């Protein structure tokens, strides 16, 4: 049986600690998918004072509308 996947919603803690290298690496892993990946940031994703800004700058594709607060409407 073949099923279609419209998007992936990751529940957080995608990385162990915040760094430009970790964020870029995580983004590269998911960029290979042909569907969107959305991220709910977890405590390990936010280990530095400027972590949110790093995520939004380095991996905006994880956040619809470029914001960490988002809603997904789906059939």
């Amino acid at each position: 049986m073949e099923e279609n996947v419209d998007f992936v919603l990751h529940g957080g803690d995608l990385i162990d600690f915040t760094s430009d290298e970790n964020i870029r690496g995580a983004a590269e892993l998911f960029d290979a998918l042909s569907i969107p990946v959305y991220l709910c940031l977890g405590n390990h994703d936010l280990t530095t004072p400027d972590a949110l800004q790093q995520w939004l700058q380095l991996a905006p594709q994880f956040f619809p509308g470029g914001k960490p607060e988002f809603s997904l409407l789906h059939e």
Side-chain angles (χ1 to χ4, degrees):
M1 178 169 84
E2 184 178 320
E3 295 185 34
N4 294 323
V5 176
D6 295 320
F7 59 88
V8 172
L9 179 60
H10 193 284
D13 291 345
L14 183 57
I15 58 177
D16 190 41
F17 62 92
T18 306
S19 72
D20 287 0
E21 182 180 356
N22 283 348
I23 293 171
R24 284 189 185 107
E28 287 175 12
L29 287 174
F30 287 102
D31 282 347
L33 295 178
S34 60
I35 59 171
V37 176
Y38 304 118
L39 175 60
C40 299
L41 293 167
N43 64 316
H44 288 239
D45 302 315
L46 299 170
T47 61
T48 62
D50 61 342
L52 178 57
Q53 199 56 30
Q54 283 177 275
W55 277 103
L56 294 174
Q57 181 179 24
L58 299 172
Q61 67 273 27
F62 287 133
F63 308 99
K67 298 178 182 179
E69 303 89 10
F70 58 87
S71 298
L72 298 174
L73 302 177
H74 194 267
E75 297 176 4

